[in-house]
């Protein structure tokens, strides 16, 4: 099901700088979360496995089953919302998994997704929002009050946005580096494709055309592309969020959902 993959010179240059030990692995089958037996098969390609686990107290009583499994001692790789390229440090060395769903995407965009994974690996931040929110995840759940799946989606989006605040400075430098200019072009092109959708978000939510959790996901995905965000999402594109992280995210959620309730 798994086999190691070669990299293009631009993606390899980014890996060498940010995550030199990372292995890139192509997956034969698509997945959101790898079945435990298949996840353990990765042990044949790496030196060791080190499953992450978190305290039960960090989860609301009605947390989605997959989130509870991720928090347990089970080796859980890949979660809903992760996208086409997934990275994990639960293996030694860390790995980047490429799902078959990328087939048909432009090659420069796939290279950008790989390069993005290497940059994120190099930050040594948590690989999932639960490691970001920690015990405050239950506070986010209380602020959202729209059910466990909406809380999950909004938490994943908020963490993605926070990561984007860390990574976009690196992405923006690629235009000036001859060996990474194509990656810079792909980053910019992906942002351009999002601009019109992001600009319409507030009106789409007000009309009921877009669920608020979906809107949050799109807005936070745009942060890494340095796109101007409409209210209330513009408050997430700030140095305050970058520096204060989860506390800022929870306060934003409290204020935002109080305003929506009114």
């Amino acid at each position: 099901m798994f086999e190691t993959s070669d990299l293009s010179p631009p993606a390899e240059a980014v890996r060498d700088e940010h995550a030199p030990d990372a292995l890139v692995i192509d997956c034969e089958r698509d997945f959101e979360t790898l079945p435990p037996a298949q996840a353990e098969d990765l042990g044949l390609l790496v030196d060791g496995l080190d499953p992450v686990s978190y305290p039960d107290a960090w989860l609301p009583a009605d947390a989605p089953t997959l989130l509870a499994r991720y928090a347990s001692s089970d080796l859980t790789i890949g979660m809903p919302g992760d996208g086409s390229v997934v990275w994990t440090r639960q293996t030694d060395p860390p790995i980047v998994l490429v799902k078959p769903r990328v087939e048909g995407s432009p090659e420069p965009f796939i290279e950008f997704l790989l390069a993005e994974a290497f940059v994120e690996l190099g930050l040594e931040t948590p690989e999932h929002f639960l490691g970001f929110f920690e015990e405050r995840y239950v506070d986010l759940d209380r602020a959202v009050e729209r059910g466990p799946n909406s809380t999950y989606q909004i938490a994943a989006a908020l963490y993605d946005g926070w990561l984007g605040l860390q990574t976009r400075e690196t992405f923006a430098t690629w235009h000036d580096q001859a060996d990474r200019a194509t990656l810079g072009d792909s980053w910019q092109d992906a942002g351009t494709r999002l601009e019109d959708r992001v600009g319409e978000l507030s009106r789409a939510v007000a009309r009921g055309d877009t669920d608020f959790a979906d809107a949050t996901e799109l807005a936070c995905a745009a942060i890494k592309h340095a796109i101007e965000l409409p209210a209330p999402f513009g408050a997430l594109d700030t140095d305050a969020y970058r520096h204060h992280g989860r506390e800022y995210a929870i306060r934003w959620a409290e204020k935002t959902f109080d305003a929506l309730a009114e």
Side-chain angles (χ1 to χ4, degrees):
M1 179 174 178
F2 307 109
E3 65 177 38
T4 56
S5 175
D6 295 327
L7 292 172
S8 68
E12 188 167 16
V14 176
R15 179 179 64 177
D16 290 346
E17 179 178 352
H18 294 275
D21 296 334
L23 295 178
V24 178
I25 297 174
D26 287 333
C27 302
E28 184 181 274
R29 298 177 185 172
D30 227 332
F31 65 91
E32 277 195 320
T33 301
L34 284 175
Q38 292 177 359
E40 290 176 2
D41 284 347
L42 289 167
L44 300 174
L45 301 176
V46 298
D47 296 330
L49 301 174
D50 184 20
V52 68
S53 64
Y54 298 111
D56 292 341
W58 289 7
L59 298 180
D62 62 351
T65 301
L66 271 178
L67 186 58
R69 195 175 97 189
Y70 180 80
S72 76
S73 59
D74 292 346
L75 178 62
T76 305
I77 295 178
M79 291 288 283
D82 280 351
S84 301
V85 173
V86 176
W87 57 264
T88 183
R89 296 193 201 89
Q90 297 181 83
T91 60
D92 179 24
I95 56 174
V96 176
L97 295 169
V98 183
K99 303 176 185 178
R101 70 178 68 169
V102 300
E103 293 176 7
S105 298
E107 195 62 34
F109 181 64
I110 298 173
E111 291 177 358
F112 168 72
L113 293 179
L114 287 167
E116 178 184 27
F118 299 141
V119 173
E120 291 180 353
L121 270 171
L123 292 174
E124 297 188 357
T125 53
E127 66 183 68
H128 188 267
F129 70 71
L130 191 56
F132 173 69
F133 285 104
E134 298 183 336
E135 75 277 2
R136 298 300 308 276
Y137 185 64
V138 293
D139 298 320
L140 180 70
D141 183 62
R142 281 193 288 267
V144 172
E145 286 190 324
R146 295 194 172 198
N149 291 332
S150 286
T151 300
Y152 181 102
Q153 186 177 2
I154 289 169
L158 290 171
Y159 183 53
D160 185 45
W162 183 78
L163 277 180
L165 291 172
Q166 326 294 314
T167 58
R168 69 185 184 187
E169 292 180 6
T170 298
F171 300 159
T173 67
W174 289 343
H175 284 297
D176 300 323
Q177 301 177 57
D179 63 343
R180 303 174 201 189
T182 57
L183 297 174
D185 291 342
S186 295
W187 168 70
Q188 189 169 37
D189 181 62
T192 300
R193 294 172 185 272
L194 286 175
E195 280 183 313
D196 288 344
R197 294 174 61 199
V198 170
E200 290 290 322
L201 269 182
S202 292
R203 287 183 288 273
V205 171
R207 293 192 302 264
D209 295 339
T210 299
D211 177 79
F212 193 83
D214 291 338
T216 306
E217 183 175 339
L218 178 59
C220 289
I223 288 176
K224 64 171 162 272
H225 297 286
I227 297 172
E228 185 175 353
L229 303 179
F233 306 108
L236 296 170
D237 190 1
T238 61
D239 286 338
Y241 187 27
R242 176 174 179 173
H243 294 306
H244 296 288
R246 64 177 186 174
E247 305 301 328
Y248 187 98
I250 292 165
R251 183 60 183 145
W252 175 85
E254 290 171 344
K255 293 176 66 175
T256 298
F257 284 96
D258 282 349
L260 289 172
E262 294 173 1

